[in-house]
Amino acid sequence: KFLLSNVCAGAILGKNGSTCKKIGQRSAAQIRISHPGQLFPGTRDRICIVGGDKESLGKCMELLLKHMFDVFSHGFEKSLMIQLVVPNSAISRIIGTGGRYVSQLRAATGCCINA
């Protein structure tokens, strides 16, 4: 589950849902984006839920991020910010003892990760 601005949600959906459907078919994952006005509590962001097996999820996220990068990076610094929604019960597994896992993720990906 991750959060999208209304503009990003529209870009991922595409005309009549065509882009979302194409990415879902290419990745074999299911993509659901909340309707306008159905926002994550305390934000102005819509909710995107991606479902499938590990391989499908990885491919889907790769295609979604590539599409967003292609749409929004023209003339800009070529960076994107993605907000993942992680349950409290899982966050310690991502951070790791003393921040070990999150440090490894930062080093391996070059991403700025705020946990």
Side-chain angles (χ1 to χ4, degrees):
K1 184 186 296 189
F2 59 100
L3 306 182
L4 299 169
S5 69
N6 204 43
V7 173
C8 286
I12 289 174
L13 286 167
K15 188 172 185 172
N16 296 320
S18 61
T19 302
C20 186
K21 184 177 180 181
K22 182 169 53 172
I23 291 172
Q25 289 172 339
R26 287 184 60 198
S27 64
Q30 297 79 43
I31 306 168
R32 300 288 179 259
I33 298 176
S34 64
H35 294 285
Q38 289 182 322
L39 308 177
F40 190 77
T43 74
R44 293 182 176 191
D45 296 322
R46 290 168 68 178
I47 304 160
C48 181
I49 298 174
V50 180
D53 62 30
K54 184 178 175 181
E55 185 177 315
S56 297
L57 290 174
K59 181 67 174 175
C60 185
M61 290 305 296
E62 177 185 335
L63 293 170
L64 286 171
L65 293 173
K66 182 184 180 328
H67 179 72
M68 289 194 324
F69 183 79
D70 290 346
V71 169
F72 295 109
S73 67
H74 300 293
F76 296 102
E77 194 175 301
K78 301 202 184 262
S79 65
L80 292 171
M81 183 176 86
I82 305 297
Q83 291 179 293
L84 297 176
V85 179
V86 180
N88 287 337
S89 61
I91 197 68
S92 63
R93 298 184 90 170
I94 293 170
I95 295 171
T97 303
R100 187 176 96 211
Y101 295 139
V102 76
S103 294
Q104 290 172 350
L105 280 171
R106 287 180 184 128
T109 64
C111 291
C112 176
I113 301 171
N114 297 320

